[in-house]
């Protein structure tokens, strides 16, 4: 029996079988890391722009816009994130108030062909940032 050349076929088959999941895993970990960087930047910017605004409604709008821009820089959609602002004491515009912005993002699995309503997420990442409302604005 002559079996020359079958080792190349077996090697190619096994290499594909092992390398495709490994490459997908590396891409997924990269997506998660990018999501982590995105929420850290988004939370930091949201807290900074919130304390700089003159009233609560414009502060909330500015914080949400800052989160959307920060997430878009990393290729994530703003609909995938939630933003929560908390203040201590309750008056968010008073000098000395501690404002905390909490951003949570569902990181989607890469290359999943499902429609937007059925997006599968790899994980959820979260970050928070705190700023103090200054005495002078």
């Amino acid at each position: 029996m002559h079996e020359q050349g079958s080792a190349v076929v077996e090697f190619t088959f096994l290499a594909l079988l092992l390398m495709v999941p490994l490459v997908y895993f590396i891409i997924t970990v990269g997506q998660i890391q990018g999501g982590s960087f995105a929420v850290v930047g988004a939370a930091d910017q949201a807290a900074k722009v919130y304390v700089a605004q003159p009233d609560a409604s414009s502060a909330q709008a500015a914080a949400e816009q800052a989160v959307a821009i920060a997430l878009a820089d990393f290729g994530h959609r703003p609909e995938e994130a939630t933003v929560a602002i908390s203040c201590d004491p309750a008056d968010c515009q008073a000098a000395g108030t501690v404002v905390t912005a909490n951003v949570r993002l569902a990181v989607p699995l890469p290359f999943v062909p499902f429609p937007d309503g059925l997006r599968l997420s790899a994980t959820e990442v979260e970050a928070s940032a705190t700023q103090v409302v200054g005495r002078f604005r």
Side-chain angles (χ1 to χ4, degrees), residues 1-101:
M1 260 200 179
H2 242 13
E3 294 187 17
Q4 284 183 334
S6 67
V8 172
V9 174
E10 291 171 6
F11 175 76
T12 303
F13 176 73
L14 285 175
L16 282 175
L17 190 65
L18 295 174
M19 292 301 284
V20 169
L22 180 65
V23 169
Y24 189 78
F25 176 74
I26 292 170
I27 291 170
T28 303
V29 169
Q31 287 279 97
I32 294 169
Q33 186 66 35
S36 297
F37 288 148
V39 293
V40 167
D44 186 45
Q45 292 304 312
K48 286 179 182 178
V49 299
Y50 194 94
V51 299
Q53 301 304 314
D55 58 28
S57 62
S58 65
Q60 183 69 31
E64 290 175 2
Q65 184 180 14
V67 167
I69 291 170
L71 293 177
D73 286 345
F74 284 90
H76 294 284
R77 298 180 315 180
E79 302 88 39
E80 297 169 343
T82 58
V83 182
I85 304 290
S86 61
C87 304
D88 184 30
D91 182 14
C92 292
Q93 302 303 316
T97 300
V98 176
V99 176
T100 302

